[in-house]
Amino acid sequence: MSVRLAEGSPTLGGLIDRQIAHSGPMSVAAYMQLCLGHPTLGYYRRAKAIGRTGDFITAPEISQMFGEMIGLWLALLAPQFPGQAFELAELGPGRGTLIADALRTLARTAPEAAITGPTLIEISDVLRAEQMRRLAGFTPSWIETVQDIDPEGPPLIMVANEFFDALPIHQYLKQNGQWHERLIGLRDGQRIWGLDPTPLPIHSLPASVRDAEDGAIWETALQAASVMDVLAERLKARGGVLLVIDYGYEKTATGDTFQAVAAHAYADPLDEPGQADLTAHIDFEALAAPARALGLEAFPLLTQRDFLCALGIESRTAALMHTHPTRADEFTQASNRLIGPDRMGHLFKCLCVGTSGLVPYPFATLPEPAP
Ligand code: SAH
């Protein structure tokens, strides 16, 4: 498994194995962090992962309609910042497709909207270069972490599509009535699963999972929580909203969602570190907690289907089919993939948090004017 690419240049697998041999088994979080974020060999630092020819395809890469709906979402929010610019930011913009499609739609539908940015939070140099190409004609700037978002400035509107699923998680498994952290170790040169012998104190677990059956797995995304702490502070200080779109579950629960995808197929997460995309589903209840704790509003979750349909994706599909009749099948299929209940429509959820007073349609609607 720890084959060398060339004399003197170990693979990421080789480096991980050496670290385990030296310091003992590592947490899933440490493993994920290395696999995805290692400065030179991590998954997001190198290859062009996203898209038809990459390892996985995301909603904005399926169809321009996804980014267009986000553009309409922004157009509906913009008038709520009268006379004031807002800063648009995106976390993990991938190839820049979503934000480019959204900005084009925003310019057409709300040309008066005063926006600064987009500010793009991205660790990958390869993807930054791609984003720059897509955003020719706009004025993007880049930062590496959410800490770099200015604590002062105009209200923020932030978007994160399939960003949080890439942040490391810890896993705990219940055995003989106690919860133990799952660790990755080595036996006979092979990476294997194991458990930390010291159990986790029971009060560290959310009440809703404590009493699960033996064999249950509970996941916690500590880094996602820290990112949300910072985003919530910035929103509190500057005003604005955050839209998170990702696959996940509404309430904290047990379940093993740690997975690897390479070349559009599931892979063993312990094989070939750095060569596959590693992700975990989002616990949206836990993700929203830091925002709630700061007194921000966390609107009820919407499925991706309900979000996109409320913004008019079905009429947009019909309009595109009418304008480009030879591509009608392509548009129908893309729309089905995005909103089909057995496709992305129900698995993907949309979370919106923001400062009170803002009415981000379709999470909330303005009252009807009195007759
Ligand atoms: N939103 C895009 C891409 C999703 S892939 C789309 O929908 O197509 C995840 C993105 O997050 C990539 O751009 C990746 O490089 C970036 N990313 C992953 N971990 C990150 C981190 N810790 N900080 C900043 N960006 C990160």
Side-chain angles (χ1 to χ4, degrees), residues 44 50 56 58-61 90-95 98 121-124 127 131 144 161-163 166-167 223:
Y44 281 118
I50 312 160
F56 61 98
T58 55
E61 302 298 330
E90 188 182 7
L91 297 106
R95 301 172 70 188
L98 184 160
I121 298 145
E122 176 58 66
I123 48 167
S124 159
L127 290 174
Q131 291 153 19
E144 182 121 343
N161 185 61
E162 288 206 43
F163 169 74
L167 301 186
Q223 196 169 315

Side-chain angles (χ1 to χ4, degrees), residues 171-306:
Q171 284 192 325
Y172 297 85
L173 185 137
K174 195 167 195 182
Q175 194 177 60
N176 300 326
Q178 297 206 289
W179 292 90
H180 297 266
E181 176 151 24
R182 286 187 93 196
L183 300 175
I184 294 156
L186 276 180
R187 183 186 290 149
D188 303 329
Q190 299 287 314
R191 265 164 249 130
I192 54 157
W193 286 106
L195 292 180
D196 186 337
T198 309
L200 187 70
I202 195 76
H203 61 258
S204 302
L205 285 124
S208 56
V209 303
R210 275 178 208 164
D211 300 329
E213 301 285 305
D214 260 16
I217 288 177
W218 169 64
E219 298 177 343
T220 182
L222 296 180
Q223 196 169 315
S226 318
V227 167
M228 277 305 269
D229 281 338
V230 178
L231 297 180
E233 268 171 32
R234 298 294 188 270
L235 284 175
K236 183 95 184 162
R238 296 174 51 173
V241 295
L242 162 69
L243 172 65
V244 177
I245 307 171
D246 225 310
Y247 36 86
Y249 41 100
E250 207 169 335
K251 295 268 171 225
T252 300
T254 54
D256 178 8
T257 74
F258 181 49
Q259 67 181 36
V261 168
H264 299 275
Y266 290 110
D268 181 338
L270 299 195
D271 271 353
E272 303 203 63
Q275 303 294 314
D277 185 35
L278 299 183
T279 60
H281 288 203
I282 305 300
D283 173 348
F284 279 102
E285 184 184 6
L287 192 71
R292 287 206 168 94
L294 273 190
L296 298 174
E297 181 128 23
F299 295 94
L301 283 189
L302 291 178
T303 61
Q304 175 164 299
R305 176 185 176 80
D306 287 348

